[in-house]
Amino acid sequence: DIVMTQSPDSLAVSLGERATINCKSSQTVFSSSNNKNYLAWYQQKPGQPPKLLIYRASSRESGVPDRFSGSGSGTDFTLTISSLQAEDVAVYYCQQYYTTPKTFGPGTKVDIK
Amino acid sequence: EVQLVESGGGLVQPGGSLRLSCAASGLTFSSYWMGWVRQAPGKGLEWVANIKQDGSEKYYVDSVKGRFTISRDNAKNSLYLQMNILRADDTATYYCSRDQGALNAWGQGTQVTVSS
């Protein structure tokens, strides 16, 4: 199975400042056949189901604010919130869907400083 | 708007069985892979299983293989998870999801508690 790790476990950022979350996979999730990274990011607010933010490492899901961006390739990925808003307080998960089981990272909790 | 509504959760004794259902609307259900993800209380997300559009392919996480069975009824726009030989560590909220590689639609979840 592909093991996903995230860092940090949690972070507190001032409103309007940048938040950066890292995700690493134990093996590549890049497909050379179609040049795609099978990596997604989800946001989960308390008491709610997860919500897809980013797919294919850097494609923003419809309706997701453009302050959310994803980058990286192969085994190392980053989710960036360019200007943190109060409504962004949540736990963020990365997930690989290169192969089953489609493993998730342990999550990163984002709070307001 | 896509709606996924889970049901069937509850309290069950260790070794018991439950069948979860997910009613889908707002999408052409038969066109999509579908799946289940669970979340133990206060813990992270765990992918459980998924199923191809026509039910011909099914995949499971190792911890549920041989105990859980995913199925679907495209005529009823419904997804199911038959859970047998339940254990305490199966206690979780179970989410139904549309699986397009990434999981781009989720239900609100149904709670399963395995306890004596």
Side-chain angles (χ1 to χ4, degrees):
Chain A
D1 297 359
I2 297 177
V3 176
M4 306 299 291
T5 56
Q6 289 182 231
S7 63
D9 295 335
S10 64
L11 75 162
V13 175
S14 300
L15 288 172
E17 296 301 305
R18 179 184 300 260
T20 301
I21 301 168
N22 299 302
C23 172
K24 190 174 182 68
S25 57
S26 62
Q27 58 194 80
T28 186
V29 299
F30 176 75
S31 173
S32 55
S33 63
N34 58 8
N35 281 342
K36 287 184 169 57
N37 285 285
Y38 290 96
L39 190 284
W41 289 97
Y42 301 86
Q43 175 193 63
Q44 188 178 30
K45 298 180 180 180
Q48 295 185 18
K51 172 188 173 183
L52 177 65
L53 296 177
I54 303 285
Y55 60 96
R56 292 185 203 152
S58 60
S59 297
R60 202 177 298 112
E61 177 73 343
S62 175
V64 172
D66 61 6
R67 63 180 180 274
F68 292 93
S69 63
S71 62
S73 184
T75 62
D76 292 278
F77 300 90
T78 299
L79 175 70
T80 301
I81 310 172
S82 60
S83 175
L84 191 75
Q85 305 300 303
E87 60 265 33
D88 301 335
V89 170
V91 179
Y92 293 84
Y93 297 92
C94 61
Q95 182 206 27
Q96 65 80 19
Y97 52 99
Y98 183 80
T99 186
T100 56
K102 297 187 178 187
T103 42
F104 289 90
T108 295
K109 187 175 182 182
V110 174
D111 271 318
I112 304 295
K113 185 187 292 184
Chain B
E1 179 193 2
V2 175
Q3 278 205 309
L4 302 173
V5 180
E6 302 92 339
S7 60
L11 175 63
V12 61
Q13 291 189 338
S17 298
L18 272 180
R19 188 195 195 207
L20 305 184
S21 299
C22 171
S25 59
L27 74 165
T28 306
F29 182 74
S30 60
S31 297
Y32 297 99
W33 284 75
M34 298 294 294
W36 293 94
V37 173
R38 67 184 179 182
Q39 186 169 36
K43 302 297 185 183
L45 301 169
E46 181 180 37
W47 181 88
V48 174
N50 67 354
I51 184 169
K52 195 176 179 180
Q53 289 92 330
D54 62 358
S56 62
E57 293 182 37
K58 304 175 185 181
Y59 300 94
Y60 301 90
V61 68
D62 280 352
S63 59
V64 309
K65 280 180 185 174
R67 301 188 301 122
F68 289 13
T69 302
I70 190 171
S71 62
R72 64 192 296 161
D73 185 336
N74 288 340
K76 294 182 177 180
N77 289 341
S78 292
L79 177 72
Y80 306 101
L81 187 67
Q82 177 66 45
M83 305 188 295
N84 298 330
I85 317 174
L86 283 160
R87 312 186 304 219
D89 61 357
D90 295 318
T91 294
T93 298
Y94 285 74
Y95 295 103
C96 166
S97 62
R98 180 173 64 180
D99 188 336
Q100 290 192 274
L103 310 180
N104 59 11
W106 296 68
Q108 290 296 314
T110 187
Q111 176 67 41
V112 172
T113 302
V114 184
S115 175
S116 55

